[in-house]
Amino acid sequence: MSALPRGSTVRRDAGLYGYERALRRHGIEPVAGVDEAGRGACAGPLVAGAAILPAGRAGIVPGLADSKLLTEKARERCYDQVVRRALSWSVVVVSHEECDRLGMHVANVEALRRAVALLDVPPAYVLTDGFPVDGLGVPGLAVWKGDRVAACIAAASVLAKVTRDRIMRDLDAAWPAYDFKTHKGYITDVHTAALTEHGPSPVHRMRFVNVRRAAGLEPSDDVQNGREPVPGPGVGRVAGEESG
């Protein structure tokens, strides 16, 4: 991943649109943001979003912020505004089966790449949240807490989280015993109790130790709750931290 162009700086008080403005001052546009939702969940899909917001007032999304800091109703309003205002946007859904097959880190990176590739306006630069993503085909920058400081990443975060929350509400209708509509597949006391009582559903991720434990495939005191299992030969291991 690249750094910002030489001589370009973003002040701490530059606001949510500071990164895009700094890049445009150097003739670099359009700028895409990309983010995911559901990496740390032990059930349901991983979802990635990408967004390119236009310059000027047209690209100012009322109420936009990190999706995790918004209420459900506020996220839905921002989602509608992002879809209406964006020059281009995309959403990618990676199934729980593919998450199990690839491992969460690989699945996460692949989802972000796919989201950028699906944009029908090719970006000149990509901002990612927290860690660099190779293979995007254009320069980019990993921004610490990017969904809180860069508008295009915040927009992508909203796209991903709203899409995933809708999916989890649908999954709740199919498997109501797990209360997916409330915790969205993340590890909570209610979710843990449901896993203990009912075992894993068909949409749980079997790489996570708490899921494997509920299925009787791991000793109950083997490792910390909510992490993927210690792998066998040739199997990757990624901790299941929550992100989005």
Side-chain angles (χ1 to χ4, degrees):
M1 297 293 282
S2 308
L4 286 172
R6 190 178 186 86
S8 178
T9 60
V10 179
R11 293 167 52 97
R12 288 189 177 183
D13 60 354
L16 195 60
Y17 298 83
Y19 278 90
E20 288 98 323
R21 285 197 298 264
L23 289 163
R24 289 185 184 114
R25 284 197 298 269
H26 284 76
I28 300 174
E29 58 181 327
V31 178
V34 63
D35 200 9
E36 52 75 27
R39 175 186 170 119
C42 67
L46 176 73
V47 178
I52 298 174
L53 298 175
R57 294 181 62 86
I60 304 298
V61 179
L64 182 62
D66 172 8
S67 65
K68 295 185 291 297
L69 303 179
L70 298 172
T71 66
E72 183 176 331
K73 288 184 178 179
R75 280 195 299 270
E76 291 281 354
R77 289 194 295 268
C78 282
Y79 178 96
D80 292 341
Q81 288 287 328
V82 170
V83 168
R84 182 168 70 86
R85 292 170 180 265
L87 292 176
S88 182
W89 64 276
S90 69
V91 170
V92 168
V93 178
V94 178
S95 70
H96 64 282
E97 294 100 336
E98 190 168 7
C99 290
D100 277 343
R101 180 173 63 83
L102 296 176
M104 288 313 304
H105 179 69
V106 175
N108 190 40
V109 171
E110 180 62 23
L112 297 173
R113 288 173 179 157
R114 291 178 193 174
V116 172
L118 282 175
L119 292 169
D120 54 16
V121 175
Y125 202 90
V126 177
L127 298 177
T128 62
D129 181 27
F131 65 92
V133 178
D134 295 329
L136 297 177
V138 295
L141 180 70
V143 181
W144 176 246
K145 294 189 181 298
D147 46 7
R148 300 188 185 190
V149 299
C152 57
I153 300 178
S157 172
V158 166
L159 292 172
K161 183 160 181 59
V162 169
T163 300
R164 188 175 188 278
D165 284 358
R166 292 173 178 176
I167 292 171
M168 296 309 296
R169 287 194 291 270
D170 289 342
L171 294 180
D172 179 80
W175 290 282
Y178 298 92
D179 197 26
F180 289 140
K181 66 180 183 299
T182 301
H183 53 68
K184 308 301 190 295
Y186 288 103
I187 301 159
T188 65
D189 290 343
V190 169
H191 193 180
T192 297
L195 271 171
T196 300
E197 181 177 358
H198 302 290
S201 76
V203 296
H204 275 90
R205 301 176 187 171
M206 295 306 297
R207 272 184 175 256
F208 281 71
V209 162
N210 63 322
V211 178
R212 291 175 62 82
R213 186 181 298 135
L217 301 175
E218 290 283 338
S220 62
D221 59 351
D222 188 37
V223 290
Q224 184 180 359
N225 184 40
R227 292 185 177 274
E228 294 186 24
V230 176
V235 179
R237 181 181 187 278
V238 182
E241 76 267 25
E242 179 173 347
S243 177

